Amino acid sequence: MHKYPTLTQNPNSHTNQYHNVQQNTTMKLLRHALEVGPWSIWLSGFFLIALSLHAIQLLPSLHNHINTSEFTHNLGAPRITIFSAPDPFTAPAFARQTLAVRSWLAVSPQITVVLFSQDPSVVSFAGMYGSRVVVEPNIDFTFLGIPFFHSMVARSRAFTTDISVFINPESILLPDFISTLNFVHKLDHDWLLLASARNVSHLPFYLDEDGVYLVRDDGKQMRTHELQEVIDQNFRWNHCDDRMLIAWNSGDLPLHSGVLPPFLYRKGIHNRWIINEAILSGYRFVFDASLTITSLYLDDQAFFSNQSFRGTSLLAAEKRNWEYIGNFHLGTLYGSSFFHETNYTSLLKLSRCKTQYFFVDTATIGYSSIYRRPSSSSGRILHLSTNKETMNCLDGIGLMSGFDCSFKDQFKQLPPLPFPHSLDSLLQITADRHKTIVLGIAGYSYRDMLMSWVCRLRHLSIRNFLVCALDRETYKFSVMQGLPVFNDHSAPSNISFNDCHFGTDCFQRVTKVKSRIVLKILKLGYNVLLSDVDIYWFANPLPLLHSFGPGVLAAQSDEYNETGPINLPRRLNSGFYFARSDNLTIAAMEKVVKHATSSTLSEQPSFYDTLCGEGGSNRVGDNTCLEPGTNLTVHFLNRDLFPNGAYLGLWQKRNIKAACSKKGCLVLHNNWIGGRIKKLERQQLSGLWDYDISERMCVQN
């Protein structure tokens, strides 16, 4: 057990005038936002867009409200970086997210905002705020654009900051946020805090006649502590949903032991999971700052679709969609939550009385124990404050602290992981403007190589890919990795984990699945670039492959001799080829599938014998064949651009990337090597690997 940190007095880092202006303008905007009636969905969306534009002008700028002496006073304050992943800045999310980000920037010049997104509207939005708002696109997203929480957390470490904050993109912060972080920054321990969100349904304040300042009934301006008291009394807590704020200092210790699962951001579980693991790991001082950090969100279900999972009912999650249930499944597979979950009531609560902060133990039955500083002994033994004024100030804290966000019981009967996307729907979602898709096919033994292949396509900004899973394990794995995946029910069920490489019976059975799947997609009207997942892509080959036109099947050559014809017998590699959805190609592929069905070999000889004729009787020149029954042309691709694993000894080069760059390679096939293990080792050691197996995420530049 670690000692709890020493507590100190709070030096408020901002003047009262700055606090009052910030809170009043923010609350004014909130009041306006909530005064619109629920009678018209379209009117509300239009109104909030206008409200956001109004907010940009109304909320104070640093130049208007921070003078030189104030800024100098804050030079010793901690650098705070707020991380979030917003939706595209379009209606109605534009209004709520704009309001939220403006509130973050308004509370302090110490704050920088990092928005994880690849959407152009987010980049345009950030451009209005200069260097204070940064867009970071280099994280993992699902094929539907949902960011991965574990990738966000990992990427946040690349930013130099004293305190990292993760917050819902629609949550609004008030000035007590910065004063709390200024205080906890001085704690002599690595820490992690949580702050529950508050659901705003109405604002019980009066505005002055100019509509600028918050006033009490007696007409006097409301002070910060009075505002806090009113909020505590009139707003409903929401302790257990995705809107919970978490923050930690950049100390020496990790947040928790083990690996953070690939949770989907804002799809349930991830905040509670990381807090639970942090408590159980014992590396950091974990406490609840819900009483001292005001995090608000507008609750207007008549207007807005709620993208956060509310409540903890598994039935409710099942009614939402597969992403939430996927996060529940991950919660059972990683960490300690399945076996042991900490009750949140055991956390110390950070509270404030006037200018002093206290940690309050509300777990004691009947009363709250108030602590000023830790004792010299180890464990949870703190000095008790007996000051009556302090006790009266903090009286009643236990009333809000008896919440429990447990989801442990739901793990006993998890439903099957659903995935509502069929092959037809996936094709519509992922195909590019040419109705072309890149198809990867893999079994569970090649799951890591599949992910490295996927990560490479993501780095090249290639989004029009599909994954065909050869078994149920690969299908479930791919769903949780956010891949556009479908399951082929015709695939053999007994695929060997280690013995499914070239020349084996397993390999022969698996390869015959590939041609059937390609034919099926061609008949649905889509072009297919079939690529084995052991092929490394240096650049996007599709522009070149599209140039061959209809009636041409372009395939990699497996010839290893550096000179001579490349269309010799059995040298067509069926692991990389481009097939158009035209009548000639479909008719020829039907012949290939029929030939492979009756063959005792893999599908690769069937490709050559069917299209180029047995012994190469249909060869034309050194690099083409002409299938006489359909008049389909087979073009063997230039090996400098599309080298196989034996060509020029590229895999034996000391610097493979440099050697391939010199030749102009677009792809490089990791074939002509025996066994899955040797293939994996060769590719990982070569540096042509884009997937972090231990962290379950793509390696980012």
Side-chain angles (χ1 to χ4, degrees), residues 66 86 92 133 163 165 197 217 236-237 244 248 313 315 386 414 424 452 458 481 560 568 585 595 630 682:
I66 301 177
V133 180
I163 298 176
V165 181
D217 290 339
R236 182 169 61 86
W237 290 100
M244 179 186 294
W248 60 87
S313 169
L315 180 60
T386 57
L414 274 176
D424 289 351
S452 181
R458 288 173 175 171
Q481 291 289 335
Y560 53 84
L568 293 175
T585 306
H595 187 281
T630 60
R682 182 166 77 171

Side-chain angles (χ1 to χ4, degrees), residues 315-357:
L315 180 60
E318 191 172 5
K319 290 181 178 179
R320 298 300 294 265
N321 58 45
W322 62 273
E323 296 163 319
Y324 296 96
I325 297 181
N327 274 8
F328 275 104
H329 277 261
L330 288 169
T332 69
L333 297 175
Y334 292 79
S336 308
S337 299
F338 181 74
F339 305 101
H340 177 73
E341 187 173 6
T342 301
N343 191 328
Y344 280 47
T345 58
S346 65
L347 291 178
L348 290 181
K349 310 297 184 294
L350 181 64
S351 186
R352 180 179 176 180
C353 186
K354 296 182 179 178
T355 61
Q356 297 187 53
Y357 284 91

Side-chain angles (χ1 to χ4, degrees), residues 24 68 89 107 149 163 186 216 253 257 294 304 335 367 429 436-437 440 485 524 534 542 573 593 597 602 651 682:
N24 292 335
T68 304
F89 275 81
V107 295
F149 180 66
I163 298 176
K186 300 179 183 296
R216 306 179 310 204
L253 297 175
S257 60
T294 305
F304 308 117
Y367 64 93
I429 294 171
T436 298
I437 62 103
V485 61
L524 291 172
D534 62 351
L542 280 172
N573 190 304
V593 170
T597 301
S602 70
W651 283 105
R682 182 166 77 171

Side-chain angles (χ1 to χ4, degrees), residues 455-462 537-540 666:
C455 292
R456 186 58 191 163
L457 295 188
R458 288 173 175 171
H459 289 161
L460 295 173
S461 298
I462 298 172
W537 290 37
F538 294 98
N540 188 351
L666 294 175

Side-chain angles (χ1 to χ4, degrees), residues 682-695:
R682 182 166 77 171
Q683 189 156 341
Q684 290 175 357
L685 293 175
S686 71
L688 305 183
W689 191 262
D690 287 56
Y691 181 57
D692 187 330
I693 298 174
S694 62
E695 298 293 335

Side-chain angles (χ1 to χ4, degrees), residues 568-601:
L568 293 175
R570 302 286 174 89
R571 287 296 182 246
L572 188 154
N573 190 304
S574 62
F576 187 91
Y577 62 90
F578 178 68
R580 285 186 176 273
S581 178
D582 56 46
N583 293 333
L584 298 185
T585 306
I586 291 174
M589 284 297 298
E590 286 178 335
K591 288 187 174 184
V592 172
V593 170
K594 182 178 180 180
H595 187 281
T597 301
S598 59
S599 173
T600 58
L601 302 176

Side-chain angles (χ1 to χ4, degrees), residues 129-142:
Y129 301 95
S131 61
R132 294 196 69 195
V133 180
V134 177
V135 178
E136 175 54 73
N138 294 316
I139 63 167
D140 291 353
F141 295 85
T142 71

